[in-house]
Amino acid sequence: MYQLHYFPANANAAPHMLLEELGAKYELLLVDRTKDAQKSKEYLKLNPNGRIPTLVDNSLVLSEAAAIVLHLVDQHGRAGLAPKVGTPERAKFYQWLTFLTNSLQEELMIWQYPERLAGKNSTATEVVKRSAEARARSFLDVVEDHLKANGPLFLGNKLSAIDFYLVMLCRWARPMARPPRSRFNIAKLLDKVTALPSVRRAYEREGITDEIC
Ligand SMILES: N[C@@H](CCC(=O)N[C@@H](CS)C(=O)NCC(=O)O)C(=O)O
């Protein structure tokens, strides 16, 4: 049985939706960020970066949401939530997952926490926040164009783990001046994926009862 260390709607959400969609057996373990539990001595032994999520799979302790997603799709290959290894489709799956985690996710983190880069200077913080939002916006536009040409999901009609990843990031991005949902094709994907019972169950188990994204 897997153990997923989580905090509601944090970077655990994509692995969590995937665990539900796969019908895998797992236990949820709360890392209470309100008490800085992600920096506790005990948690740092699992995840020296002090960040959420961490997946425990028997003797394997894995951090980084995208790595967890890749591990889960490989462990449950028959479920078909990622294309077959070695195919061009799998390569595109890597491309989009990396783009989401490397580009969009990082920019959203800077937008949410600009003071981590800008320090306490409020003018600098505002500049960093606005620049990060502009970059995140352009990344979302790239996703929108891709979905317009190839949708309704990242891999056409085939549901894959990257669709869950986008749902997670779009929830975080809701307060943006131009929220993800204001784009027609992203909204279509979000409607489709958040209607899945697996996705609803994952957020409900994390205590999220409002609209997902
Ligand atoms: N690259 C990491 C980022 C994880 C991350 O930033 N997690 C946030 C929650 S969404 C966190 O743990 N923040 C607490 C902190 O930075 O102290 C991943 O994708 O797993």
Side-chain angles (χ1 to χ4, degrees):
M1 165 154 27
Y2 299 108
Q3 292 178 321
L4 181 64
H5 293 257
Y6 85 107
F7 187 78
N10 275 199
N12 40 267
H16 193 182
M17 289 180 252
L18 196 51
L19 283 166
E20 279 289 341
E21 182 66 26
L22 292 167
K25 283 209 169 79
Y26 68 96
E27 186 183 357
L28 274 185
L29 297 170
L30 179 70
V31 184
D32 193 350
R33 275 186 77 180
T34 64
K35 297 184 177 137
D36 256 354
Q38 77 278 15
K39 307 292 185 217
S40 68
K41 223 167 136 185
E42 200 184 331
Y43 187 74
L44 288 174
K45 276 189 213 151
L46 287 177
N47 187 332
N49 280 322
R51 299 177 84 177
I52 303 162
T54 304
L55 182 84
V56 180
D57 175 7
N58 295 304
S59 58
L60 173 70
V61 178
L62 198 59
S63 59
E64 292 300 321
I68 295 172
V69 161
L70 287 169
H71 176 62
L72 290 174
V73 296
D74 286 349
Q75 289 300 107
H76 301 265
R78 286 221 195 111
L81 287 166
K84 212 165 160 282
V85 175
T87 61
E89 291 78 17
R90 180 73 172 208
K92 293 306 274 186
F93 173 85
Y94 290 141
Q95 175 196 300
W96 285 114
L97 181 61
T98 310
F99 176 72
L100 290 182
T101 186
N102 240 12
S103 301
L104 182 55
Q105 182 174 342
E106 279 312 293
E107 225 52 70
L108 290 175
M109 293 302 281
I110 297 169
W111 167 68
Q112 281 182 316
Y113 305 104
E115 69 287 351
R116 288 180 180 173
L117 292 187
K120 291 204 167 94
N121 177 320
S122 61
T123 311
T125 302
E126 199 43 44
V127 171
V128 168
K129 190 173 176 70
R130 264 192 282 116
S131 308
E133 181 162 358
R135 281 173 61 81
R137 201 166 54 225
S138 72
F139 293 150
L140 283 165
D141 289 342
V142 168
V143 171
E144 171 68 9
D145 288 348
H146 169 72
L147 293 175
K148 188 174 177 190
N150 305 284
L153 300 167
F154 265 103
L155 304 180
N157 283 309
K158 184 99 186 73
L159 179 71
S160 73
I162 22 179
D163 299 311
F164 297 129
Y165 216 94
L166 184 68
V167 168
M168 173 176 87
L169 299 183
C170 286
R171 179 178 173 89
W172 300 353
R174 283 188 312 181
M176 280 174 68
R178 214 178 133 222
R181 268 197 176 276
S182 61
R183 295 164 184 79
F184 181 80
N185 292 283
I186 290 186
K188 216 158 91 180
L189 180 149
L190 297 178
D191 285 343
K192 223 174 158 60
V193 180
T194 58
L196 293 171
S198 55
V199 171
R200 308 209 80 80
R201 270 197 310 272
Y203 277 97
E204 266 166 36
R205 284 200 65 188
E206 295 188 12
I208 305 289
T209 50
D210 62 352
E211 200 188 344
I212 293 169
C213 57

